[in-house]
Amino acid sequence: MPKPLVTILGKSVKTVMRLRGGGSALPGLVVERIDPNFLRSCLETLPRGVVLISGTNGKTTTTKMVVELLEGQGLTVFTNRTGSNFTRGVVAALLGDVDMAGKLHADIAVLELDEAHAVHFVKAVQPKHALFLNVMRDQLDRFGEIDTTARLLRSVAEHVTDGIVVNRDDPRLGSEAFRSGLTAKVRTYGVTEELLHSFPSDDALHDSSVVVATGEPATDDVCLEAIDDHTATIRIGSATHETELKLHGIYNVLNAVGAVALCRMVMGDELDEAKMLKSLQSVEPAFGRGEALMVNGQPLELVLVKNPGGFRLGLSSFSPDGYATMIAINDNYADGRDMSWLWDVDFSSLSNGVALTTGIRAYDMALRLQYDEVPIGTVEPNLTEALKHFLNEHADTPKRIYCTYTAMLALRRELSKVTKVEVVS
């Protein structure tokens, strides 16, 4: 089928799904079935090629940061903004940006990809650059044990042509075994030894005695040296910079360091460092990742959680004092079916109580909280009813919801009926 016809059909499906209020990846699935080469043909002509971002935690927010940093350098950037990080999600995003002939008018593509689907993506399109954030236990039903995930990312790295940035403090990504034999140039980012306890690796989450030695950073390394509220001190090469961030959560500060390292590699000698740091200061959280909404004059924060590391960092980043807390846990495919990871999270910081648990696994979450002696107000599996109750009972109080991916999407749809919520398509 001719590419213009494929494009028109795909755009039509995308429009229908938007009117129905969901299905961000379905148009991509339809186009993949009709034209398996659509992805490659759209991306292979980009002047600066494709940048791939993968890892267990932080892909969506880091991708958003990299996009804004590169746009601040004057580039036109294509990205998969919805966070749908399978290949069909990228195709669906392309349908919103290509013209009727299937032409993508951009300088570069910055794409977040699920660790497993990235393996398939690089067989179709070779990235020029890649950023690997971390490897942690996540969706055991899909990935199995953590070394399997590391092998997936190593396989992806073998297809990158120009440059790779890795988190040197992750024991698997920072290892010589991961980096040796790669044809692309490798750079690193990380934190000072004094900050390692704030960003535990997966090994450290399960054994507090584990400390990853960072060693001597390379001269082109980007390093987080200090955090003070929303101010980060970042060393770029030999120069140190203090920068204010709008991002919430300490995990996003480390993601910002990775984004800076990747931007430096992509831009090379063309980099305007002052513009890059100015762009970094203005980046807002990605949807559902510390996103702050206003409901009836009170803030409501959405914090995505999907594995032990992410949930622990979320709990350590946000004080529960003065906030009503709800936890929404689903076990749909996009969330991961295996919810045993909830037992690897320490919920004692919520000792003042959780107002409500909801979602498909509402009762599993309530049981887990009971074992940490966390008081629970209400258990309501229906997300819509739970949200109504939460908003009504705590109308005059700041609120925070920890939620898995599909629960977050459903809650944003409901919240859009009562407040302004950014539409991401």
Side-chain angles (χ1 to χ4, degrees), residues 107-147:
D107 298 310
I108 191 170
V110 178
L111 306 173
E112 69 157 292
L113 282 159
D114 165 272
E115 299 95 309
H117 281 261
V119 175
H120 300 292
F121 176 89
V122 297
K123 292 176 182 177
V125 181
Q126 277 195 298
K128 281 192 174 183
H129 297 94
L131 169 62
F132 298 118
L133 299 166
N134 44 62
V135 181
M136 307 190 87
R137 283 173 175 80
D138 182 43
Q139 299 189 41
L140 297 177
D141 53 304
R142 289 186 58 220
F143 294 117
E145 275 303 313
I146 188 169
D147 289 328

Side-chain angles (χ1 to χ4, degrees), residues 57 136 205 251 303-315:
N57 291 328
M136 307 190 87
L205 282 174
Y251 47 87
V303 182
L304 177 69
V305 294
K306 64 188 187 76
N307 53 49
F311 213 146
R312 286 192 186 195
L313 283 172
L315 291 171

Side-chain angles (χ1 to χ4, degrees), residues 11 52 54 75 100 109 134 186 226 228 294 337 346 352 356:
K11 283 179 174 287
L52 185 153
S54 195
L75 301 186
M100 286 301 180
N134 44 62
V186 179
D228 182 12
M294 293 299 295
R337 301 286 191 184
D346 179 2
N352 289 338
L356 198 147

Side-chain angles (χ1 to χ4, degrees), residues 64 68 81 284-288 291-293 412-413 416 419-425:
K64 184 176 188 291
E68 296 190 28
R81 292 184 68 239
E284 301 277 0
F287 74 101
E291 179 182 24
L293 309 173
R412 289 182 94 252
R413 284 194 294 271
S416 69
T419 189
K420 182 179 179 180
V421 177
E422 179 190 9
V423 177
V424 180
S425 61

Side-chain angles (χ1 to χ4, degrees), residues 64-370:
K64 184 176 188 291
M65 284 190 273
V66 172
V67 168
E68 296 190 28
L69 295 187
L70 292 177
E71 287 177 339
Q73 300 293 308
L75 301 186
T76 300
V77 185
F78 164 74
T79 189
N80 48 334
R81 292 184 68 239
T82 65
S84 182
N85 53 30
F86 294 1
T87 53
R88 69 193 65 158
V90 177
V91 174
L94 278 167
L95 290 168
D97 280 39
V98 296
D99 61 23
M100 286 301 180
K103 171 71 173 177
L104 178 62
H105 300 279
D107 298 310
I108 191 170
V110 178
L111 306 173
E112 69 157 292
L113 282 159
D114 165 272
E115 299 95 309
H117 281 261
V119 175
H120 300 292
F121 176 89
V122 297
K123 292 176 182 177
V125 181
Q126 277 195 298
K128 281 192 174 183
H129 297 94
L131 169 62
F132 298 118
L133 299 166
N134 44 62
V135 181
M136 307 190 87
R137 283 173 175 80
D138 182 43
Q139 299 189 41
L140 297 177
D141 53 304
R142 289 186 58 220
F143 294 117
E145 275 303 313
I146 188 169
D147 289 328
T148 302
T149 307
R151 285 194 293 271
L152 291 173
L153 292 181
R154 164 67 198 204
S155 176
V156 172
E158 291 170 357
H159 289 80
V160 180
T161 61
D162 290 21
I164 296 170
V165 177
V166 298
N167 177 357
R168 59 173 160 79
D169 298 326
D170 185 288
R172 288 162 181 83
L173 298 179
S175 69
E176 183 60 31
F178 185 89
R179 292 189 269 180
S180 64
L182 296 175
T183 57
K185 180 179 181 180
V186 179
R187 287 186 181 175
T188 61
Y189 75 99
V191 304
T192 62
E193 192 167 347
E194 293 75 21
L195 290 176
L196 277 175
H197 68 280
S198 296
F199 303 96
S201 66
D202 190 89
D203 296 34
L205 282 174
H206 295 85
D207 183 353
S208 58
S209 66
V210 172
V211 176
V212 179
T214 60
E216 189 64 30
T219 55
D220 58 6
D221 184 82
V222 180
C223 182
L224 178 64
E225 295 197 329
I227 312 170
D228 182 12
D229 195 21
H230 289 291
T231 301
T233 303
I234 303 173
R235 178 174 48 75
I236 302 174
S238 59
T240 300
H241 308 268
E242 279 194 4
T243 181
E244 295 283 335
L245 300 174
K246 292 184 178 179
L247 298 163
H248 303 284
I250 59 171
Y251 47 87
N252 278 333
V253 179
L254 182 57
N255 292 335
V257 177
V260 166
L262 181 59
C263 181
R264 290 181 73 231
M265 175 170 271
V266 170
M267 295 304 300
D269 294 337
E270 300 174 67
L271 178 71
D272 186 323
E273 194 169 273
K275 284 185 177 180
M276 178 181 67
L277 294 171
K278 184 177 180 181
S279 297
L280 187 64
Q281 291 176 356
S282 63
V283 178
E284 301 277 0
F287 74 101
R289 280 78 171 175
E291 179 182 24
L293 309 173
M294 293 299 295
V295 181
N296 297 324
Q298 293 292 338
L300 185 151
E301 296 175 350
L302 294 172
V303 182
L304 177 69
V305 294
K306 64 188 187 76
N307 53 49
F311 213 146
R312 286 192 186 195
L313 283 172
L315 291 171
S316 66
S317 295
F318 301 102
S319 170
D321 295 342
Y323 277 75
T325 301
M326 182 168 91
I327 303 178
I329 304 294
N330 278 352
D331 65 350
N332 294 314
Y333 178 75
D335 307 297
R337 301 286 191 184
D338 186 347
M339 288 289 112
S340 63
W341 63 267
L342 291 171
W343 293 87
D344 287 332
V345 182
D346 179 2
F347 292 99
S348 58
S349 64
L350 299 176
S351 58
N352 289 338
V354 169
L356 198 147
T357 63
T358 185
I360 299 168
R361 292 299 193 100
Y363 285 98
D364 298 75
M365 188 67 246
L367 176 64
R368 176 67 193 91
L369 292 173
Q370 285 183 337

Side-chain angles (χ1 to χ4, degrees), residues 9-60:
L9 178 59
K11 283 179 174 287
S12 299
V13 175
K14 187 176 180 71
T15 299
V16 170
M17 295 311 300
R18 185 184 296 123
L19 292 173
R20 294 185 62 180
S24 63
L26 181 61
L29 179 60
V30 172
V31 170
E32 278 187 327
R33 294 286 176 85
I34 298 170
D35 182 4
N37 294 316
F38 184 85
L39 182 67
R40 179 191 292 116
S41 64
C42 287
L43 297 177
E44 65 183 359
T45 60
L46 294 177
R48 290 179 178 264
V50 173
V51 176
L52 185 153
I53 297 172
S54 195
T56 306
N57 291 328
K59 293 184 288 293
T60 300

